[in-house]
Amino acid sequence: MTDAELLIRSTRVITPEGQRPAAVAVAGGRVAAVLPRDAPAPEGALDLDLGTDALLPGLVDTHVHINDPGRAEWEGFATATRAAAAGGVTTVLDMPLNSVPPTTTPAHLEVKRRAAREATHVDLGFWGGAIPGNAAELAPLHAEGVFGFKCFLSPSGVEEFPELDHAQLATALGEIAAFDGLLIVHAEDPGHLAAAPSPQGSRRYADFLASRPPAAETEAIAPLIDLARRLDARVHILHLSAAGALPLIAEAKASGVRVTAETCPHFLTLTAEEVPDGATEFKCCPPIREAANQDALWAALADGTLDCVVSDHSPCTADLKVPDFGAAWGGIASLQLGLPAVWTAARRRGHTLADVARWMSTGPARLAGLDRKGAIAPGNDADFAVLDPEATFTVDPTALHHRNPVTAYAGRTLHGVVRATWLRGALVAEDGDVTGRAGRLIARGA
C-alpha cells in the first residue's frame, strides 16, 4: 500500500463479491488492494472520493467491428476506441471482417496492428478469421496472439469474408481444436435463410424479421454443438437472438460440451414491436425479435445459459442505411451506449450493477482469457468505469464519438451516466470528453 499513487473511494464499489463501500488502491497501473471506504490514503497518493457514484470494472467488449483499414469511413480505430472510452469500455476486441484486408493471415494481422498502433484510446486486441481455404493460416495466427477465430455459417455481407460450409467448418474446427483455440460463430443456417421470404424493396420491419426466422439460428447451433462435442472443441455462439436455441445451449453445457454464448444490448433493450417501418438503423443480423423472446434472453442471463453481453458494434456511413430493409447495411452502432442501455433495462427487471458488471466485464474477459481484466480485485489492471446509476440522459447521435451519427438509440432516455473511465490507473475519459490515449495493443496470453 505504501507505493499506491491513487485511492478511489465510493459507497458503491462493484467487486467479485458484490457491491460494497470500499476504497480501491492503485499502484503501477494495477489494483493494489480493496480496502474499507475510510482507509487512510498513502502519503502522496491522489485521494478521490466518488461519493455515491458507482465504481465498476472497466467493460470488456469482445465484439466490435472497427473496419479499419479499408472501410475506415464506416469506423476507425481512433473513433471507435474514443467511443469505447467515453462509454466505460476499457478493452475492445476487433472482429476480423469489414476491414480490407480481413484478419485471415498473419500478414493481414500486421496490417491491422500498424493501422491501430498509434490510434487507440483503450486496450485493443484482435480476433482472427476462419474462411474457406485458410486452414493453414490458423495456427500461425494463433501463435501471433489473436484471441480466437470468427466464422460465418451464412453469407457475411462482404465478399472478402465468405462463409464456411459444414465440411469446411469441420476442417477449421479440427485445426483449432488441435491447439485448443476458440472458434466464435455467426450461427444462422443458410438453407433456412434462402427459404425465407426476401425483404428486398420493403420498408416493413415485419418483412425483414420474417426473412431471418428463429429456426435459422437453432438449426445452425444444433450441428455446431454436435461437432464441438465430437471434437472436444471450444466454440462460442455470437450475438444470440433466438430464444429457442437456449435449451440446446443449456443442455450442451450440462453435458460437458465446451460451448459459451453471448447476446447484445439491442436484443435486451429493443423489441420488434417498436421498430418503425423504414427505420433501418434497427437492422441487424440476426434480428431484434419480439418482447416475449427478449424476456427469455434475460432469464438465460440470470441462470447462466448466456455468458456475456457485448455490443456487436457494426456501424456504417449514413447513406448505407437506406429505408429498405432488404438493401440497407445490417448493423447496430452502440459501442458508447452499451452500459447505460443495459443498465436501464436491467434495473427495471430487478437486476443489480453487480449483475451488469458480471455480464459486460467479467464474462467477456473470461471468454477472451484476459486474466487481469474484468474485475476489481488485487493484481488486476486498474481499469474502471465510474457510473452515476440514477442520472439520465437523452441520446443525441451527434454527441457520440463513433464516426457516423447513426444509432438505433437516438432520442431514447437512458439511466446511467458514465462520469469517468480509467485505464490502468490513468484517467482516459471524463463526462463524455476523452482526455487521454493510454491504450495498448494486447495479445492472447501476453
Side-chain angles (χ1 to χ4, degrees):
M1 267 295 298
T2 56
D3 60 349
E5 64 265 10
L6 173 66
L7 194 71
I8 304 181
R9 308 176 192 271
S10 170
T11 61
R12 293 187 277 194
V13 176
I14 309 304
T15 72
E17 293 75 37
Q19 176 178 300
R20 62 185 174 98
V24 180
V26 175
R30 296 202 193 177
V31 176
V34 180
L35 304 167
R37 187 176 188 275
D38 58 357
E43 184 177 353
L46 174 63
D47 191 349
L48 181 63
D49 194 333
L50 304 178
T52 59
D53 285 352
L55 187 70
L56 285 75
L59 269 60
V60 177
D61 194 337
T62 54
H63 195 148
V64 179
H65 294 270
I66 296 181
N67 313 327
D68 192 0
R71 292 189 178 94
E73 70 276 12
W74 293 16
E75 189 69 282
F77 287 113
T79 50
T81 59
R82 197 158 59 232
V89 179
T90 51
T91 304
V92 163
L93 296 191
D94 175 53
M95 283 292 166
L97 73 155
N98 298 348
S99 60
V100 181
T103 317
T104 51
T105 71
H108 292 175
L109 173 63
E110 182 52 32
V111 170
K112 296 277 281 185
R113 284 174 167 163
R114 282 201 304 269
R117 194 162 280 123
E118 302 302 323
T120 182
H121 295 272
V122 299
D123 284 356
L124 174 70
F126 298 91
W127 295 106
I131 62 173
N134 85 323
E137 306 286 355
L138 302 178
L141 275 167
H142 181 75
E144 285 294 321
V146 298
F147 286 84
F149 303 89
K150 181 176 186 177
C151 73
F152 278 74
L153 305 185
S154 57
S156 71
V158 291
E159 63 181 14
E160 66 274 2
F161 203 95
E163 72 274 21
L164 301 179
D165 63 25
H166 190 72
Q168 293 163 339
L169 173 66
T171 297
L173 191 53
E175 290 284 334
I176 293 165
F179 49 77
D180 200 31
L182 174 65
L183 182 69
I184 64 174
V185 185
H186 181 125
E188 288 183 286
D189 178 70
H192 279 75
L193 297 182
S198 171
Q200 206 67 33
S202 177
R203 293 174 52 89
R204 297 180 66 244
Y205 186 73
D207 292 338
F208 174 65
L209 188 60
S211 76
R212 318 289 295 207
E217 290 187 73
T218 56
E219 294 302 315
I221 289 169
L224 175 65
I225 287 172
D226 289 343
L227 187 60
R229 178 182 286 111
R230 179 162 60 83
L231 295 175
D232 189 27
R234 293 195 296 143
V235 298
H236 177 72
I237 297 161
L238 297 167
H239 47 47
L240 186 79
S241 160
L246 293 168
L248 297 173
I249 298 166
E251 186 281 327
K253 287 185 168 189
S255 66
V257 180
R258 297 196 289 165
V259 59
T260 52
E262 69 187 35
T263 194
C264 303
H266 42 277
F267 298 139
L268 297 170
T269 62
L270 307 173
T271 62
E273 290 91 339
E274 64 186 316
V275 178
D277 289 345
T280 55
E281 63 269 26
F282 291 84
K283 178 182 176 180
C284 57
C285 302
I288 296 164
R289 302 193 188 276
E290 299 84 354
N293 183 89
Q294 184 182 93
D295 291 342
L297 295 178
W298 278 102
L301 276 172
D303 70 21
T305 301
L306 291 175
D307 298 87
C308 52
V309 179
V310 291
S311 70
D312 190 11
H313 176 71
S314 185
C316 64
T317 52
D319 61 293
L320 296 181
K321 285 292 192 180
V322 295
D324 171 352
F325 276 102
W329 175 256
I332 305 284
S334 64
L335 180 56
Q336 188 173 336
L337 299 171
L339 177 54
V342 171
W343 172 236
T344 299
R347 67 194 294 275
R348 191 169 60 241
R349 291 173 178 265
H351 297 293
T352 67
L353 284 173
D355 294 327
V356 173
R358 186 172 69 254
W359 300 328
M360 303 190 77
S361 188
T362 309
R366 183 181 297 120
L367 171 72
L370 292 165
D371 296 336
R372 296 211 309 263
K373 307 284 190 183
I376 298 176
N380 279 8
D381 288 348
D383 298 349
F384 310 127
V386 179
L387 184 76
D388 182 341
E390 281 76 44
T392 62
F393 69 102
T394 300
V395 177
D396 174 5
T398 65
L400 301 176
H401 288 280
H402 69 255
R403 177 150 288 169
N404 294 286
V406 178
T407 178
Y409 293 97
R412 289 177 179 265
T413 297
L414 301 178
H415 271 86
V417 173
V418 177
R419 297 298 187 195
T421 305
W422 297 75
L423 178 65
R424 287 187 303 278
L427 182 67
V428 294
E430 189 169 25
D431 293 325
D433 294 326
V434 179
T435 56
R437 183 181 288 172
R440 301 174 181 170
L441 298 190
I442 59 174
R444 175 195 44 77

